[in-house]
Amino acid sequence: MKDHSVTSQPATPVVAILGRPNVGKSALFNRLISRRIAIVEDTPGVTRDRLYAAAEWGGREFAVVDTGGLKTGPAGTLETQVRAQATAALADADLVLLVVDARDGIVPEDREITELVRRAHVPVLLVANKVDSPTKETAASEFFALGLGDPLSVSAIHGRGIGDLLDAIVALLPEVSEATPEAASDKPVAVAVVGRPNVGKSSLVNAMLGQDRVIVDATPGTTRDAVDTFYERGGRRYVLIDTAGLRRRARVGAAVEVFSAVRARRAIERADVAVLVVDAADPVADQDQRIAREIADAGRGVVIVMNKWDRVAPALRPDRQRVRTAQHALRFLDYAPILAVSATKGWGIETLFETIDRVALAHRGHIGTGVLNRLIGEAVAAHEPPADAGGRRLRVFYATQPETSPPTVVLFVNEPSRMPESYRRYLEHAIRSGFDLPGVPLKLVLRRRRGEEARA
C-alpha cells in the first residue's frame, strides 16, 4: 500500500471559525492571522472552501481555518457541499469559534449550528461579532441563551475585542509536544494549481488528494479563494494551492472577482511549482497563454497538464499531434513537461506527482561551479560567439550559480552588450542539455569582469 496521507493543517492546534453566512467569519479570520487572505465582501456565501493559515499569540502558534457559511439547502447543491466542508473542518478542530451577528440577534440557523457544535464535543467560544461600540454590548448578551456561555464581543472589521479573544483562544488550546526542527531541505513543495475557469482545477486537486477536499461545481468561478491543503505522500510533503480561475482583465468586474485574480497571482508567486491546467478538448486559448506568461515571469517551475483527456480518448494513450499543438501554442514554456491527465478518471496522477518532484528538485537545485564552467567552456569551444560589426567578439571568462528558485547562472564576460540573443539561447540550451532542469526557467545574467572596462 502506498504511503499517502492527507493532513488539513500542520501539526499545530486548529481553531475553526464556524457560523451562518455573512456574520463576518472571513473578516475575523483575517484579523486573527494579521493579514488579508480570505476574501471579505458584504455578500453571503463568498467563502466556499475552507482556508487554513498560521497564527501566533503570546508565543503560542496555531492554525486558523475559515469556512463557508453553514445553511440548509437541497441535497446535492453547492450549499450542501459548503456545509460538508465546514463539517470536515469541525472534525479537525481543537477549538471552535462560533460567530454570530450581534446586530441580527439570535436566528434559527444560529441554534442549528449550536447543536452541530455540541454534538462534536469540541471546546467552543461564542463570538458576537459586529459589536462596534460599547453601547452595543447589551445586544450581544442575548446570545447567552444559546447555552454556550458568555459571548465574547468583538468587531472584526475595527479590531475591537480581538486581543481578549486571542487570550481566550490561547487559554483553551491543547498543549503540544515540542517538535523536532525540520531541515530546510524538508520544506514542503508548494504547488499552485492554476488555469482559466472551468478547466478542472478543483477536480484535479481532489484527484491528487484522493478525497473531496475542494468544492467542485459545474459553474465557472466556483473557487474564489486560493485554498491551501497540506499533504504528505510517500514521505514527501506538499502544500497544494487550488486557485480561482484567472480571467481576462476586461471580464473581471465585481470586487470579489478582482480579489480572486489577485489571490491566484499571489499563489503563483509563493509556489515552487505551478501546475498549469488546460482543457485537452479545447485549443489553447489566449487566457492559457497569458497565465503561462505570468508563471514564467514569476520564475516558478511549471508542469502543463492537459486535463479532461477522457473527452478526447478512451484511454491514457499518446496523441502526439494534440500534444505538439499545445506545445506550439505555449512554446515560450518549451522547457515545461506536458502531461495528459483525467482528474475524473484518475488518469496520470502518479506521473503528475513524479514530474512535480523532478521540477521542484531542479527549481531548488544548485550546479557545482567546476562542472558548470567545464560545460560552458566546452559549449564556447564548440561554437564561438559571433563577432560584432567592428570585429569585436564576446569572451566568456567564468560562470557561477549564486541563486536557486529559479536557477540563476551569472556569466562574467568582457562586454555584456556583445551577447546576441541567439547566442544566449545557445548557452541556455547547452546548460539544459548538461543538467536535468525540467520545467524550470533558467536565468542567465551577464556581468563585466572587473578590469575589463578599459579593454572593452
Side-chain angles (χ1 to χ4, degrees), residues 330-366:
L330 298 169
R331 53 192 174 277
F332 50 89
L333 290 181
D334 58 359
Y335 52 85
I338 185 164
L339 307 177
V341 168
S342 169
T344 57
K345 300 288 187 181
W347 297 347
I349 301 302
E350 189 81 19
T351 302
L352 174 57
F353 269 110
E354 291 171 357
T355 306
I356 288 170
D357 289 343
R358 287 183 61 214
V359 172
L361 182 63
H363 195 251
R364 297 176 177 177
H366 185 269

Side-chain angles (χ1 to χ4, degrees), residues 78-148:
L78 185 63
E79 286 77 10
T80 304
Q81 292 192 61
V82 171
R83 183 184 181 90
Q85 291 292 325
T87 304
L90 179 60
D92 288 340
D94 296 294
L95 174 65
V96 170
L97 305 184
L98 177 52
V99 184
V100 293
D101 190 330
R103 297 175 182 175
D104 294 344
I106 297 175
V107 300
E109 286 170 305
D110 293 331
R111 297 186 184 278
E112 180 185 351
I113 298 166
T114 297
E115 289 306 310
L116 181 70
V117 172
R118 276 205 185 96
R119 289 196 296 270
H121 302 291
V122 179
V124 58
L125 288 173
L126 181 60
V127 181
N129 192 25
K130 305 183 184 180
V131 180
D132 301 328
S133 66
T135 58
K136 296 180 180 178
E137 290 280 355
T138 54
S141 62
E142 72 167 281
F143 290 96
F144 185 81
L146 292 175
L148 296 176

Side-chain angles (χ1 to χ4, degrees), residues 94-401:
D94 296 294
L95 174 65
V96 170
L97 305 184
L98 177 52
V99 184
V100 293
D101 190 330
R103 297 175 182 175
D104 294 344
I106 297 175
V107 300
E109 286 170 305
D110 293 331
R111 297 186 184 278
E112 180 185 351
I113 298 166
T114 297
E115 289 306 310
L116 181 70
V117 172
R118 276 205 185 96
R119 289 196 296 270
H121 302 291
V122 179
V124 58
L125 288 173
L126 181 60
V127 181
N129 192 25
K130 305 183 184 180
V131 180
D132 301 328
S133 66
T135 58
K136 296 180 180 178
E137 290 280 355
T138 54
S141 62
E142 72 167 281
F143 290 96
F144 185 81
L146 292 175
L148 296 176
D150 290 324
L152 291 167
S153 299
V154 305
S155 171
I157 292 295
H158 299 292
R160 186 173 184 271
I162 298 300
D164 291 339
L165 173 59
L166 284 163
D167 286 341
I169 290 171
V170 169
L172 291 175
L173 290 180
E175 294 297 327
V176 293
S177 58
E178 188 172 341
T180 302
E182 296 174 344
S185 60
D186 195 36
K187 178 185 175 184
V189 177
V191 181
V193 180
V194 298
R196 57 188 168 91
N198 219 31
V199 292
K201 297 183 300 297
S202 294
S203 295
L204 181 62
V205 171
N206 285 336
M208 293 170 75
L209 296 173
Q211 62 174 238
D212 290 337
R213 169 61 182 82
V214 199
I215 293 172
V216 179
D217 192 85
T219 305
T222 298
T223 302
R224 291 174 173 177
D225 273 307
V227 183
D228 289 13
T229 302
F230 294 82
Y231 180 58
E232 186 171 326
R233 184 179 193 278
R236 293 187 175 90
R237 298 187 302 136
Y238 307 85
V239 180
L240 301 185
I241 311 167
D242 184 30
T243 62
L246 286 164
R247 304 171 184 269
R248 288 195 189 100
R249 293 184 187 276
R251 305 180 94 175
V252 181
V256 68
E257 297 287 356
V258 173
F259 283 132
S260 293
V262 170
R263 297 293 186 271
R265 292 184 181 94
R266 287 180 180 172
I268 291 172
E269 291 170 359
R270 63 190 176 94
D272 297 301
V273 179
V275 173
L276 172 59
V277 186
V278 299
D279 192 326
D282 295 337
V284 171
D286 291 345
Q287 290 167 276
D288 298 319
Q289 294 176 325
R290 178 176 57 78
I291 299 164
R293 290 192 184 280
E294 292 199 19
I295 296 170
D297 291 345
R300 303 302 91 192
V302 59
V303 180
I304 300 169
V305 167
M306 299 182 71
N307 192 26
K308 306 186 183 180
W309 196 259
D310 56 301
R311 294 176 57 192
V312 303
L316 196 61
R317 61 190 183 198
D319 184 337
R320 292 183 176 85
Q321 182 57 47
R322 189 177 294 273
V323 172
R324 279 197 296 267
T325 300
Q327 286 174 325
H328 179 73
L330 298 169
R331 53 192 174 277
F332 50 89
L333 290 181
D334 58 359
Y335 52 85
I338 185 164
L339 307 177
V341 168
S342 169
T344 57
K345 300 288 187 181
W347 297 347
I349 301 302
E350 189 81 19
T351 302
L352 174 57
F353 269 110
E354 291 171 357
T355 306
I356 288 170
D357 289 343
R358 287 183 61 214
V359 172
L361 182 63
H363 195 251
R364 297 176 177 177
H366 185 269
I367 303 170
T369 300
V371 293
L372 177 61
N373 277 280
R374 280 196 297 272
L375 185 144
I376 294 293
E378 291 169 1
V380 171
H383 178 44
E384 285 192 342
D388 62 16
R392 295 168 298 186
R393 196 181 300 274
L394 176 80
R395 295 179 63 196
V396 180
F397 300 110
Y398 184 76
T400 185
Q401 185 195 338

